[in-house]
Amino acid sequence: MFLFMLFREAWVASKMEDVDIPSRRVLITGATGLLGRAVFKEFNENHWNTVGCGYRRAQPRFEHVNLLDSIAVHDIVHDFQPHVIVHCAAERRPDVVEGQPDAASQLNVSASANLAKEAAGVGAFLIYISTDYVFDGTSPPYKETDVPNPLNLYGKTKLEGEKAVLENNEETAVLRIPVLYGEVERLEESAVTVMFDKVQFSNKSANMDHWQQRFPTNVKDVAAVCRQLAEKRMQDPSIKGTFHWSGNEQMTKYEMACAIADAFNLPSSHLRPITDSPVVGALRPRNAQLDCSKLEMLGIGQRTPFRTGIRESLWPFLVDKRWRQTVFH
């Protein structure tokens, strides 16, 4: 009710001041996270009335909502009446999911199913963010119609989440994406950016995985795809079902680390490629490349070159300030 009163006050104020409040409404879950922040910004800067919700880091910028609290979810959805909901919130760290399977399943599956029901209740188009880890990585590239076979519990919970949202709301889009990077608040937010310290501190050799094939994808690009998908849906109700989006530069973590070093003119001779499959942690698919032609045929998509995107993302964390002065001044 409090949220509704805020919206009403904003609407009244807009009428008095003749301010244009966008009529298209979108709700972003997980708006405090790496992807959620980018999605919120993308919609907000493109004439959408945008509300984000989060949990631990929500206030003051976003609404504080526990997605496991069905009443709280019902209230925000029914008060705001969004046309679109982008569901970014998830436990996305495979090793954490293995260690906390029940908590991960509650968020990735149960909360997603409930959100899909609430979205259906107000006629909202739901975009559920999923993962390339629903595939086993043995026969890429994968189309949306290929049969999933997740190797780890994270992939299994996200696949169960896909089924749950589609069962509870036919007007849903599932968007599968690979490993993400972008403008992080801390390096640990992304499996790509977390490598930066190993790259920068070249006085110590560092082992880097050179087995798993990845397609690092900028969160700004995924955010643009979400907005384009939502806007296409507003024109065409047949836009629903499963979609894939991904960067198109294939790299191992070793190759990403070398590209990061190159982007900042740093040495890479201390980085050591490890070609054996990892023996610790959750199983990972060797190559879960996503075929993105379905979205491309709809005229949807955006790709930032990796070196450009990683430079934008990481330069605030650069230890050697002389490089900043050389490049940015």
Side-chain angles (χ1 to χ4, degrees):
M1 192 64 187
F2 172 69
L3 190 62
F4 174 76
M5 294 300 291
L6 280 181
F7 295 133
R8 178 167 174 75
E9 284 171 23
W11 181 81
V12 171
S14 73
K15 292 300 176 190
M16 292 171 65
E17 299 172 22
D18 199 27
V19 174
D20 181 28
I21 296 262
S23 58
R24 301 176 299 183
R25 295 180 299 279
V26 60
L27 177 67
I28 318 293
T29 73
T32 58
L34 175 61
L35 177 59
R37 294 193 304 271
V39 173
F40 181 91
K41 185 178 181 185
E42 174 72 19
F43 277 92
N44 198 44
E45 291 180 352
N46 285 277
H47 313 298
W48 283 76
N49 184 352
T50 312
V51 167
C53 61
Y55 188 51
R56 288 186 195 86
R57 296 173 287 165
Q59 294 168 331
R61 189 178 177 200
F62 302 117
E63 297 295 320
H64 180 268
V65 178
N66 179 358
L67 293 179
L68 303 181
D69 181 344
S70 57
I71 294 172
V73 172
H74 173 87
D75 287 349
I76 193 167
V77 171
H78 282 257
D79 286 352
F80 185 45
Q81 294 279 319
H83 298 100
V84 176
I85 301 174
V86 186
H87 183 29
C88 300
E91 178 47 75
R92 57 173 182 74
R93 297 163 295 177
D95 296 333
V96 172
V97 175
E98 297 286 337
Q100 302 172 19
D102 292 341
S105 181
Q106 278 192 316
L107 182 57
N108 292 357
V109 185
S110 305
S112 301
N114 182 58
L115 186 64
K117 283 182 198 167
E118 295 296 347
V122 297
F125 174 54
L126 176 67
I127 300 176
Y128 170 82
I129 303 297
S130 191
T131 174
D132 58 345
Y133 273 28
V134 300
F135 297 112
D136 61 18
T138 57
S139 53
Y142 291 95
K143 291 184 176 288
E144 291 84 352
T145 50
D146 287 331
V147 179
N149 181 35
L151 296 180
N152 59 40
L153 198 54
Y154 165 63
K156 287 172 185 170
T157 63
K158 291 301 289 181
L159 181 59
E160 286 172 21
E162 289 184 12
K163 292 173 181 174
V165 296
L166 290 166
E167 283 170 7
N168 284 284
N169 186 349
E170 291 180 354
E171 306 304 310
T172 291
V174 168
L175 180 62
R176 294 177 181 147
I177 55 175
V179 65
L180 300 176
Y181 74 94
E183 292 179 8
V184 293
E185 292 179 346
R186 58 189 195 286
L187 292 175
E188 299 76 31
E189 262 196 311
S190 158
V192 179
T193 60
V194 75
M195 296 187 284
F196 195 33
D197 280 347
K198 285 185 178 179
V199 172
Q200 289 194 85
F201 301 122
S202 55
N203 58 332
K204 188 174 166 187
S205 68
N207 292 342
M208 310 299 296
D209 176 60
H210 195 42
W211 175 81
Q212 189 183 16
Q213 304 296 316
R214 310 302 299 272
F215 293 80
T217 301
N218 196 312
V219 288
K220 287 182 182 177
D221 297 341
V222 177
V225 166
C226 289
R227 179 184 58 81
Q228 291 166 12
L229 195 57
E231 290 175 356
K232 186 77 78 173
R233 162 69 188 210
M234 300 284 275
Q235 302 164 347
D236 181 0
S238 72
I239 300 293
K240 57 186 176 181
T242 305
F243 300 91
H244 290 170
W245 191 253
S246 170
N248 58 2
E249 295 171 80
Q250 180 172 330
M251 298 181 185
T252 63
K253 281 193 174 180
Y254 169 72
E255 288 166 332
M256 285 184 231
C258 289
I260 292 168
D262 181 57
F264 289 95
N265 299 317
L266 295 169
S268 59
S269 57
H270 65 293
L271 303 172
R272 296 175 51 199
I274 304 299
T275 55
D276 298 330
S277 61
V279 292
V280 294
L283 286 173
R284 264 77 165 172
R286 174 76 187 271
N287 184 353
Q289 180 183 5
L290 299 172
D291 181 317
C292 306
S293 56
K294 184 176 174 182
L295 279 177
E296 289 166 347
M297 294 277 286
L298 290 170
I300 291 173
Q302 174 179 301
R303 288 191 176 98
T304 302
F306 181 71
R307 278 170 178 77
T308 302
I310 205 66
R311 199 182 292 123
E312 288 175 357
S313 305
L314 287 178
W315 78 263
F317 297 90
L318 187 66
V319 171
D320 187 347
K321 302 297 189 291
R322 289 170 299 175
W323 191 92
R324 292 197 206 186
Q325 290 167 354
T326 305
V327 175
F328 293 96
H329 295 282

